[in-house]
Amino acid sequence: MPEHGSVNSLASTLQQQLADALTAALPDAGTADPLLRRSDRADFQANGILALAKKLKGNPRELASQVTAAIPEGGPIKEIEVSGPGFLNITLSDRAIVETLAARAADGEDRLGVPYDAAAGTTVIDYAQPNVAKEMHVGHLRSAVIGDAMAQILEFSGESVVRRHHIGDWGTQFGMLIQYLIEHPGELSHEDGAEDGEAAMSSLNRLYKASRALFDSDEEFKARSRDRVVALQAGDEETLAMWQRFVDESKIYFYSVFDKLDMEISDPDIVGESGYNDMLEETARLLEESGVAVRSEGALCVFFDDVKGTDGEPVPLIVQKSNGGFGYAATDLSAIRDRVQNLKATTLLYVVDARQALHFKMVFETARRAGWLNEDVKAVHLAFGTVLGKDGKPFKTREGETVRLQDLLDEAIDRASAVVREKAKDLTEDEIAERAAQVGIGAVKYADLSTSAARDYKFDLDQMVSLTGDTSVYIQYAHARSRSIKRKAGELSPRPHPELELAPAERALGLHLDEFGEVVSEVATAYEPHKLAAYLYQLSSLFTTFYDQCPVLKAEVPGDVAENRLFLSDLTARTLSQGMALLGIRTPERL
């Protein structure tokens, strides 16, 4: 049994063997990269010899022959041929494929031989940032979905992850809301002591509209609201207690939406703008004393050579306004100090709309100048694009309003329900409802995650819940199909047989299964969950071909072949289940 989570992939074993052979054949070459990649001419191709021959002024085909002669017998390689100007085409033995997969299968239900990152540190990930007393809309979807997937992928890779939801819970609008609540005290009271998310949001909406109408029409109320902002910022007890009621009411609503999104969010992870209030003065003082920030027209500013307005004048990051107030920059810089100094982060990851790119560039540069970010701590803005409607324009309702997130998720579950009902042979109504939620929410998440985060994507529910094409339903269906084979197998056990010759569809499936760990590692390093989605879709496609070409349970299939195929099918289901879980998507046992 291997050490938990530590099966070398065939590609890494091969890479090492070739690198050793290069060094043995060409001592002058130093450390040379064989440039190994998957190939359609063989299992792998190595093209590193061409560059090496150029460097050493040798004949590439002769060098290639020397390297092949230096590879020891008995490894995973079945056949190696020198092709063209000096490429190596490498075919692995069927035995090596099955033995490696057997080691993966033996490594615990969900670990699958994936190694932990030896250089793992602590990542503080800032994502899912709704605003208190405001409804969540389609614009809040991507931060939550991408952030949740990255948090799970990083944890699986061995990183310590601290989640932070930087909610908008501070600012001048609270003066208006609190003042209105003080003058109309019954507006947020619950008749039966409990309230669901929808009801919480509708009472917050009602209160917001009423207070806004009064603020716009009544000068005296406007003046009282402005005084209330001052009282809030000064820490007045009554005002803070009222503010807390808005935060608590909003959390009831937030949690109901995140629950529908099948995401776990807990109270300690929610540290909003207000959480850094006590640090703002000190942040400003440290920046001014170190000369990173300077006074300009009464405001405390940080200037950059490469940030200029349309008039050619420098555009500064304003840490403190001329009236003494603080904005987002001071809060974000204080959050960096807290995350680096108190939470001991080695990476700060911000899953935030691409339109905030300039703000974060300036904030990160300021933090670097102040020494809060350095060689040991990096900050990354994982920027994402916009959700578009089918027409390619920003997603709105027919009335031109922003789409409520709750409505969007309900509709996705609704559409999925029709798909599940059509396929379901023996599911109860409760099971159909449960599957519909898993399929509908999975479809929304997958559509988001299968697109590169930086790109905009079209929100098309018909396409998302389709059983064909690059959708989560297609992957969930492949998983359910594999589980169904296992249920029908009865006494037959999934058992690897390294002595057997593999059919082409079995080999293709096996080689792809072995790549899971490398894909996860790449996704965790580059913050690109769409590459995991692409891997899982391809795995499902290869499994579908295998299912069509390699029967498992037919009477004429010999026992050892059936066991081996059941083994491949079972490992596929486990890999799909774990991979989808890392994206935050459920894989039902039956569909």
Side-chain angles (χ1 to χ4, degrees):
M1 182 99 177
E3 179 194 331
H4 205 47
S6 60
V7 178
N8 283 336
S9 70
L10 291 161
S12 65
T13 303
L14 200 50
Q15 171 86 11
Q16 191 59 55
Q17 281 207 339
L18 287 171
D20 291 347
L22 275 169
T23 310
L26 309 162
D28 304 343
T31 54
D33 185 352
L35 296 179
L36 190 69
R37 60 181 181 82
R38 287 295 301 276
S39 165
D40 51 4
R41 293 170 187 277
D43 294 334
F44 290 91
Q45 189 175 70
N47 342 346
I49 288 166
L50 294 175
L52 207 54
K54 207 177 210 177
K55 192 169 133 190
L56 300 174
K57 299 187 171 48
N59 177 316
R61 281 189 69 92
E62 278 175 27
L63 279 184
S65 301
Q66 285 172 269
V67 171
T68 54
I71 292 173
E73 296 283 314
I77 298 171
K78 176 185 176 186
E79 192 182 327
I80 185 163
E81 62 156 6
V82 180
S83 144
F87 298 126
L88 294 181
N89 286 335
I90 301 156
T91 304
L92 300 178
S93 71
D94 291 349
R95 172 175 288 280
I97 294 172
V98 177
E99 283 177 347
T100 301
L101 294 181
R104 291 200 177 289
D107 184 45
E109 182 59 37
D110 55 3
R111 196 69 224 164
L112 300 168
V114 177
Y116 291 101
D117 179 3
T122 298
T123 294
V124 176
I125 178 169
D126 187 325
Y127 69 105
Q129 308 104 348
N131 293 311
V132 164
K134 286 194 182 162
E135 196 139 32
M136 289 176 74
H137 55 77
V138 67
H140 290 110
L141 180 67
R142 299 205 74 185
S143 175
V145 169
I146 297 167
D148 184 57
M150 276 318 311
Q152 301 201 65
I153 290 163
L154 288 167
E155 278 178 334
F156 186 74
S157 304
E159 190 80 359
S160 295
V161 175
V162 181
R163 293 160 169 80
R164 277 292 173 266
H165 307 297
H166 191 86
I167 63 171
D169 64 354
W170 204 248
T172 52
Q173 78 275 19
F174 284 101
M176 172 185 89
L177 292 165
I178 292 166
Q179 189 58 36
Y180 188 86
L181 189 57
I182 286 172
E183 294 175 17
H184 304 80
E187 284 294 312
L188 280 185
S189 47
H190 303 174
E191 285 168 21
D192 56 358
E195 194 165 14
D196 68 9
E198 273 288 300
M201 194 60 242
S202 84
S203 59
L204 285 166
N205 261 344
R206 195 175 58 245
L207 198 146
Y208 186 85
K209 284 178 182 157
S211 63
R212 169 51 77 189
L214 196 56
F215 186 86
D216 290 343
S217 63
D218 182 334
E219 286 303 317
E220 288 181 5
F221 177 73
K222 188 181 278 190
R224 292 196 297 278
S225 296
R226 288 189 170 143
D227 290 344
R228 189 58 62 185
V229 175
V230 177
L232 177 65
Q233 289 171 341
D236 171 66
E237 274 188 35
E238 182 198 17
T239 308
L240 278 175
M242 287 292 185
W243 167 81
Q244 190 62 51
R245 285 186 65 188
F246 280 101
V247 174
D248 293 344
E249 193 77 5
S250 299
K251 278 186 183 175
I252 296 172
Y253 163 67
F254 295 158
Y255 285 163
S256 74
V257 177
F258 288 123
D259 191 47
K260 188 160 279 187
L261 264 171
D262 196 15
M263 275 181 201
E264 260 190 52
I265 285 193
S266 61
D267 262 358
D269 302 340
I270 296 181
V271 183
E273 292 167 19
S274 65
Y276 305 99
N277 283 348
D278 295 347
M279 298 176 72
L280 301 179
E281 296 277 357
E282 190 184 16
T283 296
R285 181 176 60 74
L286 290 168
L287 291 171
E288 191 168 14
E289 284 176 2
S290 61
V292 172
V294 294
R295 292 279 165 191
S296 173
E297 296 174 26
L300 186 61
C301 304
V302 183
F303 288 93
F304 309 87
D305 293 338
D306 57 348
V307 184
K308 294 190 167 61
T310 45
D311 56 1
E313 291 297 309
V315 176
L317 184 73
I318 298 173
V319 178
Q320 189 174 19
K321 301 170 196 166
S322 53
N323 67 1
F326 294 101
Y328 294 131
T331 306
D332 283 334
L333 287 162
S334 299
I336 288 176
R337 284 178 55 215
D338 174 58
R339 292 166 184 184
V340 174
Q341 291 159 9
N342 300 328
L343 301 176
K344 306 295 182 220
T346 48
T347 303
L348 303 177
L349 183 59
Y350 292 80
V351 187
V352 182
D353 191 314
R355 287 170 291 196
Q356 300 290 322
L358 180 61
H359 169 77
F360 280 110
K361 179 183 166 182
M362 290 158 77
V363 165
F364 295 166
E365 177 55 30
T366 300
R368 264 192 289 275
R369 290 180 192 177
W372 304 327
L373 294 177
N374 50 41
E375 295 301 302
D376 304 321
V377 189
K378 64 174 178 175
V380 179
H381 177 201
L382 202 179
F384 55 81
T386 308
V387 181
L388 306 174
K390 284 188 201 179
D391 58 3
K393 294 177 182 161
F395 200 25
K396 304 272 187 198
T397 63
R398 287 210 178 103
E399 296 72 44
E401 289 176 9
T402 308
V403 179
R404 296 168 71 227
L405 188 49
Q406 194 98 4
D407 294 344
L408 197 77
L409 301 178
D410 286 341
E411 193 181 344
I413 293 169
D414 225 32
R415 296 283 181 93
S417 178
V419 172
V420 173
R421 192 177 295 281
E422 197 179 310
K423 278 277 171 195
K425 305 272 190 307
D426 50 359
L427 297 180
T428 66
E429 281 301 312
D430 282 352
E431 286 173 326
I432 288 173
E434 183 197 24
R435 301 293 192 286
Q438 294 177 351
V439 169
I441 297 302
V444 170
K445 289 182 177 181
Y446 185 85
D448 191 322
L449 293 166
S450 58
T451 307
S452 164
R455 289 175 51 197
D456 300 341
Y457 82 97
K458 286 185 184 173
F459 196 94
D460 179 350
L461 272 175
D462 294 328
Q463 175 53 39
M464 287 179 190
V465 298
S466 167
L467 283 162
T468 55
D470 186 2
T471 65
S472 64
V473 196
Y474 177 76
I475 298 171
Q476 287 169 323
Y477 195 65
H479 171 268
R481 184 177 256 177
S482 169
R483 292 299 191 206
S484 159
I485 295 171
K486 194 173 181 182
R487 281 194 300 276
K488 288 175 185 163
E491 298 296 301
L492 192 71
S493 292
R495 188 169 288 125
H497 283 273
E499 73 282 1
L500 290 175
E501 203 172 297
L502 296 176
E506 293 173 311
R507 289 188 100 258
L509 180 63
L511 284 166
H512 194 69
L513 280 167
D514 186 50
E515 287 176 26
F516 180 59
E518 286 173 350
V519 171
V520 169
S521 170
E522 189 185 338
V523 167
T525 306
Y527 309 115
E528 293 182 325
H530 69 277
K531 290 187 172 168
L532 177 55
Y535 168 85
L536 296 168
Y537 172 60
Q538 199 184 343
L539 180 57
S540 304
S541 301
L542 290 166
F543 176 72
T544 303
T545 307
F546 161 82
Y547 180 84
D548 292 340
Q549 295 179 8
C550 304
V552 179
L553 304 176
K554 285 202 173 152
E556 64 271 22
V557 179
D560 53 354
V561 174
E563 285 182 341
N564 199 54
R565 286 178 179 172
L566 190 59
F567 163 72
L568 287 170
S569 171
D570 189 51
L571 188 58
T572 300
R574 286 171 56 187
T575 306
L576 288 174
S577 179
Q578 182 55 43
M580 290 289 263
L582 294 178
L583 296 178
I585 300 172
R586 307 252 176 197
T587 40
E589 296 285 306
R590 298 169 192 260
L591 259 187

